């Protein structure tokens, strides 16, 4: 059970900071793996709270933080929650233009049943209209993950719709959708108009999709969470 969720640093659509809302959404989905984006760590704007550590405590999961950059006295980046112990973890620093926000992808390795292992990556690509930077970031990530040859899951906020070059010409070459329609809208949370949040699985491995859902959660963040239930045969 894989969940991806851009949590908007814990700030809901009414401007209220409330990690409890986010934790409740996560717990209700009963995920094994969670990819989180827009996570604060010890920043002034969110009260010097280590948000990922707090969410891990509230959900009873292991965690790994990938810091994009220093921000407001702390850090800001992407995170992972895992029901299973994290065997190893690493950060991939993604290319960015001089005036753009630095980005990383966070990856963990965890064990499945019958001795199988999987890589799980949380990602948040650049948001500007010109896709040039997203394209470079997607290419870099593909290079890093392709060399392992391992089954892998890529989840997060790609800031790109399915027909953008970033997705159709780069990401979808190595990963396939778990959204059976390929068109399920995820943003904004109130009335979603675009699909920019994905759970993807590596091609060349025997994945089976059992369920896909854009969860109808409108308040806790400006994105809706996405849940995919998948099986590695």
């Amino acid at each position: 059970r894989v969940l991806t969720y851009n949590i908007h640093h814990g700030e809901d659509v009414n401007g209220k900071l409330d990690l409890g809302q986010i934790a409740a959404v996560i717990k209700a989905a009963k995920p094994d793996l969670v990819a989180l984006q827009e996570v604060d760590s010890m920043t002034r704007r969110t009260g010097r709270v280590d948000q990922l550590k707090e969410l891990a405590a509230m959900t009873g999961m292991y965690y790994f933080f990938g810091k994009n950059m220093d921000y407001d006295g702390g850090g800001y980046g992407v995170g992972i929650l895992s029901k299973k112990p994290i065997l190893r973890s690493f950060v991939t620093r993604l290319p960015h233009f001089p005036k753009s926000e630095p980005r990383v992808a966070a990856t963990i390795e965890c064990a499945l049943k019958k001795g199988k292992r999987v890589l799980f990556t949380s990602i948040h690509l650049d948001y500007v209209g010109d896709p040039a930077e997203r394209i470079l970031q997607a290419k870099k990530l593909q290079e890093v993950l392709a060399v392992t040859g391992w089954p892998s899951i890529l989840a997060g906020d790609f800031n790109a719709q399915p027909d953008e070059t970033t997705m159709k010409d780069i990401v979808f070459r190595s990963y396939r959708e778990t959204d059976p329609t390929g068109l399920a809208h995820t943003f904004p949370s109130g009335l979603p108009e675009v699909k920019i949040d994905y759970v993807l699985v590596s091609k060349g491995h025997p994945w089976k999709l059992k369920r896909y859902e854009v969860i109808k959660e409108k308040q806790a963040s400006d994105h809706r969470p996405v849940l995919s239930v998948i099986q590695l045969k």
Side-chain angles (χ1 to χ4, degrees):
R1 298 176 67 86
V2 178
L3 187 76
T4 185
Y5 201 8
N6 182 322
I7 65 169
H8 195 230
H9 60 267
E11 182 180 310
D12 70 14
V13 294
N14 298 314
K16 179 184 178 183
L17 280 171
D18 189 350
L19 276 185
Q21 289 186 89
I22 299 295
V25 173
I26 293 171
K27 289 170 71 174
K30 299 179 181 178
D32 296 294
L33 293 165
V34 185
L36 299 172
Q37 303 84 46
E38 296 194 17
V39 182
D40 273 17
S41 175
M42 308 303 289
T43 66
R44 282 184 286 267
R45 73 172 173 182
T46 51
R48 297 289 189 183
V49 171
D50 185 334
Q51 291 192 323
L52 195 59
K53 185 177 180 179
E54 288 291 309
L55 287 170
M58 286 189 275
T59 58
M61 301 177 82
Y62 299 94
Y63 69 98
F64 176 60
F65 180 64
K67 186 172 74 170
N68 288 344
M69 61 181 182
D70 294 330
Y71 180 78
D72 198 21
Y76 174 73
V78 295
I80 289 174
L81 297 173
S82 175
K83 189 175 180 180
K84 298 178 181 295
I86 296 170
L87 302 179
R88 68 182 174 111
S89 57
F90 61 91
V91 164
T92 301
R93 187 151 295 281
L94 303 176
H96 70 96
F97 295 160
K99 294 184 179 180
S100 298
E101 181 181 304
R103 304 270 175 169
V104 304
T107 302
I108 67 166
E109 175 193 336
C110 60
L112 305 179
K113 293 178 181 178
K114 300 179 181 178
K116 297 176 183 176
R117 295 191 178 187
V118 66
L119 294 180
F120 179 67
T121 298
S122 176
I123 189 170
H124 188 194
L125 297 186
D126 184 71
Y127 68 93
V128 300
D130 184 347
E133 194 164 352
R134 282 190 292 279
I135 290 170
L136 291 176
Q137 292 170 346
K139 285 181 176 178
K140 174 64 175 180
L141 189 60
Q142 297 289 65
E143 290 170 7
V144 170
L145 296 179
V147 297
T148 69
W150 283 27
S152 60
I153 303 166
L154 188 58
D157 176 1
F158 286 72
N159 275 313
Q161 296 189 57
D163 60 351
E164 185 179 291
T165 296
T166 307
M167 305 306 296
K168 66 184 181 68
D169 294 336
I170 302 169
V171 177
F172 290 157
R173 286 183 181 177
S174 302
Y175 288 83
R176 63 183 177 90
E177 270 277 26
T178 58
D179 171 6
T181 69
L183 299 170
H185 293 170
T186 63
F187 178 84
S189 59
L191 185 62
E193 298 175 348
V194 294
K195 177 185 177 69
I196 55 176
D197 302 274
Y198 300 79
V199 176
L200 308 173
V201 292
S202 55
K203 290 183 175 179
H205 299 103
W207 296 100
K208 180 181 179 182
L209 174 64
K210 306 191 82 173
R211 179 183 168 194
Y212 177 88
E213 178 186 2
V214 178
I215 296 171
K216 294 178 181 178
E217 165 54 53
K218 300 179 180 181
Q219 180 169 315
S221 175
D222 59 345
H223 286 243
R224 289 198 177 184
V226 175
L227 175 70
S228 286
V229 182
I230 49 182
Q231 179 183 12
L232 183 62
K233 297 180 182 177

